[in-house]
Amino acid sequence: MDRLAVICSTAPSLLLARSSRSLTGGPAYSLFTSVAMGGAVPVPRTLLPEVLRWAPLPVVDDLIEHGGILPEDDPWAYRGDDEALYLRARLMPGQVTRDEARALNWTWFLRRAEFVSGEEPDTDGPAADGQPDVWDLLFEASVGDATRLQELDAALPQQQRIQLRNLKAGSQEGNWPRSFLADRGLWALMSTLWDPQSTVDPRLSDFHAWTAIRRAYDLVIEGRVEEAGRQSAAFERPPKPGKKLPPSMQGILPEALNIAAYAALAREDLQDAEALTERAAALSDEAAGNLRLIRVWRTTPKNDRDPLTNPYLDLGLPHGSADWETRYRELVRESRFDTTKYARLNMIRGRLDQARRSEAGDAVFFRLPLAHSVYEAPDDVPRSIVPPLEPLPRRTPATSGADMEAVRARAAVELLQDFRTTPPRLDRHRSR
């Protein structure tokens, strides 16, 4: 009779809330009480198989949202193919394939899968709600673009937002936790945010070694060759106890020796330049050409040889750059009132023109860098700030009155069956 009162009530949630004891019943009645309480009252797990076969999908979603259905309950085993896939995506997103996500039109899952696998995001614009797409913003950050970090901060989940803020804070002094330094996908962004003004110690980490060689090369391009020499010399400092050049960065050492040799050439110390280049050539065959040049220069009288510096680098360009003429004209326009600088630029152009007419070409210049790949940022995924895989968001509407009436009807039939099968308990002391 108590169950009958709940089923027939126009406000069953009030009756259930006021009841001093839990009213138990069959599967349909248990589900009705759960629906009446907005999914907050769970259905006993032993009864779930009975109701999952027919429960309206919004009702199932209510139970999922309140923890009343867990992955181990296998609710998809009781539904048709489309609903089964939807429920798996709601409870076990890690077992959903890309093809299944496409069938669900689950864009977030597909975009994340592309990003985590290292594919460049394919996008037609911002997300459907008009907000910036977190995967586009993450891709920009991963290649070192820091212009939209505020938008990325707003789009990330809380844990990844904290990581991003810690990353930005560490860029003030170039001091990050080991987990950040080990995440090669963050290097491009860290390099953009950190602008070291003094010599970087390459023995601190793989990232610091990479930053040190990039800084040395940038200083050469900027014409600050003496500073570049000091930075490259940091690779040769006697190691502190327990510190040495990271093994994975050993490929950087020939570049460091090559830059140090170039700095020696800039101060016309051919003996030191030869010694450094010999060491570089022992580690990399790419340095052999530079070594031959230096040995030729050492045997050539000073008045008979051209300047030792590379004219491409003198223009602020990488060795062999095809844009040197454009850069030359720009510098000429800037120095039209500076006769000394103008004369120097004309000498640089003369050297480049002469090299173009020569069979040796650019091989007559000291080559720097030896390998461009050393200076390129890793293309790894920045996993420290990638949002974790999340379940498919609910796609069903809120449980409607029609859904509730469908469950109520099942519960009523179940209760009538109880009346049919339960013997009456007559009170012999009453005339009725």
Side-chain angles (χ1 to χ4, degrees), residues 11 79 90 102 137 197 201 228 381 398:
R79 315 294 290 208
R90 292 276 286 133
R102 290 188 190 96
L137 298 172
Q197 300 300 312
D201 186 351
V381 176

Side-chain angles (χ1 to χ4, degrees), residues 392-413:
L392 177 69
R394 176 173 180 162
R395 289 183 173 179
T396 60
T399 300
S400 65
D403 294 328
M404 187 171 184
E405 290 307 312
V407 179
R408 190 199 302 266
R410 291 259 186 175
V413 172

Side-chain angles (χ1 to χ4, degrees), residues 227-260:
E227 291 181 62
R230 289 197 294 270
Q231 176 61 79
S232 59
F235 287 84
E236 289 296 282
R237 290 175 182 169
K240 298 178 182 178
K243 289 188 177 182
K244 60 181 179 179
L245 189 66
S248 60
M249 292 286 107
Q250 290 293 339
I252 285 178
L253 189 54
E255 292 289 341
L257 292 168
N258 198 53
I259 293 176

